[in-house]
Amino acid sequence: MLAIISNVLRGTASRNGARVVVSARTYADFTPQASFDIKKCDVHKLEEGPPLQAVLTREEGLQYYRTMQTMRRMELKSDQLYKQKIIRGFCHLYDGQEACAVGIEAGINLTDHLITAYRAHGYTLTRGGTVREIMAELTGRRGGIAKGKGGSMHMYTKHFYGGNGIVGAQVPLGAGVALACKYLGKNELCVCLYGDGAANQGQIFETYNMASLWKLPCIFICENNKYGMGTSVERAAASTDYFKRGDFIPGLRVDGMDVLCVREATKFAAEHCRSGKGPILMELQTYRYHGHSMSDPGISYRTREEIQEVRSKSDPISMLKDRMLSNNMASVEELKEIDVEVRKEIEDAAQFATTDPEPPLDDLLRGTNPWTKLKSVS
Amino acid sequence: MAATRLFLRASPVKCSLTGLTGGVHSSLGSTLLKLSPACTAKPQAQRRHAAHFTFHPEPAPSQYESRATNPPLTFTGTEIEEQVFIADTHCMNVSAGPTQKMNLFQSVTSALDNTLAGDPTAVIFGEDVAFGGVFRCTVGLRDKYGKDRVFNTPLCEQGIVGFGIGAAAAGATAIAEIQFADYIYPAFDQIVNEAAKYRYRSGNMFDCGKLTIRAPWGCVGHGSIYHSQCPEAFFTHCPGIKIVVPRGPVQAKGLLLSCIADQNPCIFFEPKILYRAAVEQVPTEAYQIPLSQAEVLQEGSDLTLVAWGTQVHVLKEVAAMAQEKLGVSCELIDLRTILPWDTETVCKSVVKTGRLLISHEAPVTGGFAAEISSTVQEECFLNLEAPISRVCGYDTPFPHIFEPFYIPDKWKCFEAVKRMINY
């Protein structure tokens, strides 16, 4: 009986052209969408903030879940590969902060621009990179997204400007991209991310000034994960209200562990920029489970209990899962299936990343001046 | 899971599982992998454990000699007589005293410990120095001397150096740490425009001679673009500062203490690959090694080798290889102070041998080897038997995966030696 219903549903779905995720056992009574209360955002120099309610459809929910789960598993796999010394160099993992990347992407278009610092794996994925390319880049193979020459910190896709190693240096670049957006008149904007440590760099303030003066369509986002490497925000910043640091730039403080909160705030901010009001600043309060990089155990400046607490109370993937299950928007089996698929995808990608050959030696020259006869011995 | 992987590694079985290590390390796996012809590295070589040099510790010195330092550089302009540099104080013969086994970062800690103990105005600051630093160079100092003398700064290199210049100008012995030499560029303006020119532009009324900037420097095997750079060449173009690079723990402590004592702003680059790899018996008391004096590590008659930092150890091996395989006797010089450098020692050596090879990790174009080469050919032109050779890094950003090809290892240097001998 159920099989007949599911077949009928599948038939209608494909005829209507709607892309409905149909699991093996389709229940006819999944809630197609639900409205959720989200945390109010603190505002700075704004009359009102983003709405207090967010509508989530089933498709969106499953898509966010899949993307966040992919991100999470990809980071954990990278951790494994690093410990096996298959990935070397520096590796800054993004797990715990998935809601930021997914929420931001949900609030903007793929044609908008984004630039971030070195904790870039998540953004590479949301901006169009595939897990295979990302992992091959981590292992330094030719199948990597930067042909194996960039590594963890230097991943790029169309409209994603990386992946930058020097802390804070990417923010003026982002303002430049925003200027190009304004100049070319395609109604695009630039999302410019940096961390709580970088918020104390001088160039950030120079950028605030330029962006505000010229009303650039730039969303500055400070991903405040409470620790700049090993230094907690209280010990590094005279003012930990990062959303107010833009002074003359309006600001929002957003719960970065809730993907819906991030999405609504990003939509609000995007609207602000696209209407020509100039830049806006968002502080996403988030948390990273791993240490700063793979050489940092992450427990010398914070307690295991703290990490465990955040994991149990505010994990972004769990929050989304609970929301969807309690509103009957998905079934446990369905989500488990997604987990299995994601796991397989990551395993395939890891296999590819390990077996793909390294870039050829000719690539040493590519990207630099091709007319210089490269020599190292005079 | 780990046990399974171990089993897979041991058995030459085609792994149909996603056994990642099995695919890479089993001999059968290497034939299954379609390695491209250009990828010449064997699967085992993908594990890049071996450094490109071996560190040979030197015996602890029993005393230090010094001679009169080079005359200070003076600006030979028409009206301005102020010196750009203040001359080094003459170091007496110092007996070494009790020694302790230390690696490079411990010798730096020891030097800083001596400084904080002896100089009540000394302060150390930088990113993460309070807990000991990312390379453990300042471990224990905060507990010993207090949090007003060893403190963290926020993430702002320009701010750190600017702050250091001010503190030094006001009379504190300021020791600023830049977390990696690659991050020194935001502070470039402060160093070049403010620190280097302070004494000069104020007519000797103010100076920031009490400023010392320390930064980890050089390739480390997996550092890639932003954790492996050697920026000394950028700063050598700037009169008014001193640049020093040690090759081991004993040298590091002595040179760092000299930099701190020196009345000019100094940049002290510490080769990060040697932090743990270099272990020597280092005197626990304070001692100074004079600046602007190069050291001849090995006397020779056929060829002069000049390097600084890690590269000195590479050239040590090259000298051994040259002796063994070519019968060539090489004179090895560690430059130690890059600016102002010891022209006398190098030129005297080249006059004796007639051939010079300079090697550094920084890119060849505009690297400091070019300056040495130019000066030596001016001074010793008629003594040269072969063109001066520079074996350096390529003119590319410091690569991630291509590092073993990029660095001027002993084979490249040996080739250059061969060419020069047969010129």
Side-chain angles (χ1 to χ4, degrees):
Chain A
M1 184 58 192
L2 272 168
I4 300 169
I5 294 175
S6 71
N7 282 332
V8 168
L9 275 171
R10 226 174 285 195
T12 44
S14 53
R15 257 185 278 136
N16 291 342
R19 273 184 293 132
V20 176
V21 176
V22 178
S23 74
R25 285 155 53 210
T26 316
Y27 298 109
D29 54 350
F30 274 141
T31 328
Q33 67 179 44
S35 174
F36 296 97
D37 292 327
I38 51 177
K39 229 195 250 185
K40 184 171 188 307
C41 296
D42 295 328
V43 294
H44 168 73
K45 296 236 161 91
L46 281 168
E47 246 106 67
E48 45 162 36
L52 297 170
Q53 286 225 323
V55 170
L56 178 71
T57 66
R58 201 178 109 85
E59 295 84 51
E60 282 172 353
L62 290 169
Q63 190 220 319
Y64 300 160
Y65 182 81
R66 181 184 282 270
T67 315
M68 289 204 285
Q69 191 70 292
T70 310
M71 239 182 252
R72 175 70 60 94
R73 295 245 65 89
M74 181 174 76
E75 297 301 78
L76 293 178
K77 191 71 194 174
S78 307
D79 176 295
Q80 242 184 13
L81 291 180
Y82 193 93
K83 290 185 174 141
Q84 291 171 2
K85 301 212 183 213
I86 297 171
I87 296 177
R88 302 200 70 217
F90 294 87
C91 195
H92 307 86
L93 297 178
Y94 198 65
D95 55 327
Q97 298 183 215
E98 296 88 359
C100 296
V102 174
I104 290 171
E105 193 58 40
I108 57 174
N109 309 321
L110 209 58
T111 48
D112 289 321
H113 307 263
L114 193 139
I115 187 168
T116 182
Y118 46 79
R119 206 173 295 280
H121 304 168
Y123 291 100
T124 320
L125 190 66
T126 54
R127 289 257 98 200
T130 64
V131 186
R132 268 166 80 98
E133 286 173 333
I134 295 173
M135 299 203 80
E137 185 59 39
L138 289 172
T139 53
R141 307 304 163 96
R142 63 178 74 184
I145 204 161
K147 318 259 186 314
K149 291 168 69 183
S152 163
M153 289 197 280
H154 309 287
M155 298 192 182
Y156 305 84
T157 70
K158 193 160 198 294
H159 296 273
F160 174 53
Y161 301 83
N164 294 282
I166 301 296
V167 166
Q170 76 277 7
V171 181
L173 260 80
V177 173
L179 177 71
C181 293
K182 183 170 178 184
Y183 189 81
L184 295 171
K186 287 195 258 189
N187 203 23
E188 291 166 3
L189 50 81
C190 183
V191 179
C192 203
L193 292 123
Y194 55 93
D196 47 283
N200 300 318
Q201 274 274 334
Q203 22 191 352
I204 313 271
F205 295 92
E206 291 180 12
T207 315
Y208 289 159
N209 185 42
M210 288 192 289
S212 201
L213 193 61
W214 300 323
K215 290 217 172 351
L216 302 180
C218 196
I219 305 178
F220 294 108
I221 300 186
C222 177
E223 280 181 293
N224 179 4
N225 57 18
K226 319 257 184 318
Y227 297 95
M229 221 158 78
T231 310
S232 67
V233 292
E234 297 81 36
R235 292 193 297 127
S239 159
T240 53
D241 291 328
Y242 292 102
F243 70 112
K244 288 190 187 164
R245 296 272 213 107
D247 190 22
F248 35 77
I249 296 184
L252 292 171
R253 178 154 49 196
V254 181
D255 176 10
M257 303 301 267
D258 179 358
V259 65
L260 292 176
C261 207
V262 177
R263 185 188 75 178
E264 291 309 309
T266 313
K267 279 191 183 153
F268 178 85
E271 175 53 47
H272 184 273
C273 283
R274 283 192 232 273
S275 60
K277 296 197 195 132
I280 186 168
L281 184 60
M282 265 166 61
E283 178 192 337
L284 300 180
Q285 296 200 302
T286 180
Y287 200 83
R288 55 167 161 82
Y289 297 147
H290 270 90
H292 162 76
S293 70
M294 285 307 300
S295 42
D296 171 22
I299 45 170
S300 49
Y301 46 86
R302 54 185 189 174
T303 57
R304 276 190 218 272
E305 287 77 39
E306 181 189 305
I307 307 174
Q308 269 311 105
E309 199 191 321
V310 177
R311 235 189 240 275
S312 51
K313 294 217 185 100
S314 346
D315 184 73
I317 301 178
S318 307
M319 277 216 288
L320 181 65
K321 188 170 172 182
D322 291 339
R323 273 186 171 148
M324 289 185 65
L325 290 176
S326 56
N327 281 277
N328 198 22
M329 290 173 80
S331 69
V332 179
E333 290 81 18
E334 196 173 7
L335 296 180
K336 267 215 181 59
E337 220 183 276
I338 295 181
D339 286 350
V340 167
E341 281 168 20
V342 164
R343 220 175 272 260
K344 178 158 190 322
E345 187 185 351
I346 303 294
E347 286 298 332
D348 285 343
Q351 177 66 7
F352 173 72
T354 328
T355 54
D356 200 37
E358 288 176 356
L361 198 48
D362 295 338
D363 269 4
L364 184 60
L365 289 110
R366 230 159 299 187
T368 59
N369 190 343
W371 294 280
T372 326
K373 201 177 72 149
L374 250 210
K375 57 175 181 156
S376 73
V377 182
S378 69
Chain B
M1 187 55 206
T4 325
R5 258 186 266 131
L6 210 57
F7 176 70
L8 281 171
R9 203 186 303 180
S11 64
V13 170
K14 175 176 176 176
C15 13
S16 52
L17 308 172
T18 52
L20 304 162
T21 49
V24 173
H25 296 292
S26 69
S27 54
L28 192 59
S30 65
T31 55
L32 294 173
L33 290 175
K34 288 187 184 48
L35 290 171
S36 81
C39 180
T40 51
K42 301 199 294 290
Q44 274 72 19
Q46 281 171 4
R47 301 187 140 219
R48 245 161 262 114
H49 288 311
H52 60 288
F53 66 96
T54 318
F55 179 79
H56 298 286
E58 284 152 32
S62 53
Q63 59 176 24
Y64 295 97
E65 294 217 18
S66 72
R67 52 182 166 78
T69 57
N70 290 332
L73 298 174
T74 45
F75 179 72
T76 50
T78 45
E79 59 274 348
I80 300 170
E81 289 116 43
E82 297 301 334
Q83 292 173 334
V84 176
F85 279 128
I86 296 295
D88 290 336
T89 51
H90 190 96
C91 303
M92 308 305 289
N93 280 351
V94 175
S95 134
T99 65
Q100 199 190 331
K101 189 156 150 183
M102 292 187 213
N103 58 27
L104 191 74
F105 72 74
Q106 287 167 337
S107 72
V108 170
T109 316
S110 174
L112 296 173
D113 191 9
N114 292 135
T115 307
L116 289 168
D119 181 353
T121 69
V123 283
I124 301 176
F125 50 91
E127 290 157 25
D128 299 310
V129 298
F131 84 94
V134 285
F135 291 107
R136 308 169 89 67
C137 293
T138 48
V139 170
L141 295 177
R142 186 177 167 97
D143 295 329
K144 198 166 166 188
Y145 296 101
K147 57 182 165 61
D148 54 336
R149 295 186 73 189
V150 180
F151 54 91
N152 282 338
T153 59
L155 216 169
C156 45
E157 285 76 21
Q158 187 172 18
I160 292 170
V161 174
F163 177 89
I165 294 169
T173 301
I175 304 163
E177 178 181 302
I178 300 290
Q179 197 155 81
F180 280 88
D182 317 51
Y183 308 153
I184 206 167
Y185 305 113
F188 195 83
D189 172 68
Q190 286 287 344
I191 295 171
V192 166
N193 277 333
E194 303 296 324
K197 302 175 163 72
Y198 215 144
R199 189 190 297 277
Y200 182 96
R201 58 187 157 93
S202 67
N204 211 9
M205 195 169 13
F206 288 104
D207 70 87
C208 56
K210 290 177 175 242
L211 174 66
T212 308
I213 302 168
R214 291 179 35 242
W217 167 102
C219 78
V220 70
H222 53 270
S224 179
I225 314 179
Y226 297 126
H227 296 82
S228 319
Q229 289 178 38
C230 302
E232 73 272 7
F234 292 109
F235 296 101
T236 54
H237 194 55
C238 174
I241 45 174
K242 293 199 176 181
I243 304 163
V244 178
V245 185
R247 67 171 186 275
V250 170
Q251 296 291 311
K253 179 166 169 175
L255 290 168
L256 180 56
L257 286 168
S258 295
C259 284
I260 294 171
D262 194 273
Q263 292 172 57
N264 300 289
C266 297
I267 307 180
F268 187 75
F269 287 123
E270 300 159 3
K272 61 175 90 69
I273 201 174
L274 296 178
Y275 272 140
R276 285 181 195 269
V279 185
E280 278 175 351
Q281 291 285 127
V282 182
T284 49
E285 306 282 311
Y287 62 95
Q288 292 187 18
I289 295 177
L291 298 183
S292 294
Q293 279 184 28
E295 190 177 344
V296 179
L297 297 178
Q298 197 181 307
E299 302 259 348
S301 53
D302 298 325
L303 195 142
T304 305
L305 300 167
V306 172
W308 49 93
T310 319
Q311 203 63 12
V312 172
H313 304 291
V314 176
L315 288 188
K316 259 195 212 165
E317 292 182 30
V318 173
M321 274 163 71
Q323 181 68 61
E324 188 191 315
K325 297 192 184 163
L326 303 171
V328 165
S329 144
C330 296
E331 181 146 307
L332 179 58
I333 298 180
D334 176 8
L335 203 59
R336 299 200 298 196
T337 303
I338 316 302
L339 184 78
W341 63 285
D342 188 355
T343 47
E344 201 185 309
T345 307
V346 176
C347 289
K348 248 178 33 190
S349 174
V350 175
V351 163
K352 184 169 68 166
T353 63
R355 295 176 185 84
L356 176 62
L357 183 142
I358 315 155
S359 186
H360 58 66
E361 290 163 17
V364 64
T365 301
F368 197 62
E371 177 63 35
I372 298 177
S373 175
S374 178
T375 305
V376 167
Q377 65 87 24
E378 275 169 31
E379 302 288 327
C380 321
F381 184 70
L382 294 172
N383 302 88
L384 287 173
E385 301 282 333
I388 299 174
S389 185
R390 301 177 284 157
V391 183
C392 310
Y394 287 98
D395 289 329
T396 71
F398 201 102
H400 173 213
I401 199 99
F402 295 123
E403 182 169 331
F405 301 107
Y406 174 93
I407 47 176
D409 54 21
K410 57 187 179 192
W411 307 110
K412 279 191 203 166
C413 297
F414 185 66
E415 271 306 302
V417 166
K418 264 207 284 202
R419 260 207 326 271
M420 280 169 58
I421 293 295
N422 297 326
Y423 187 76

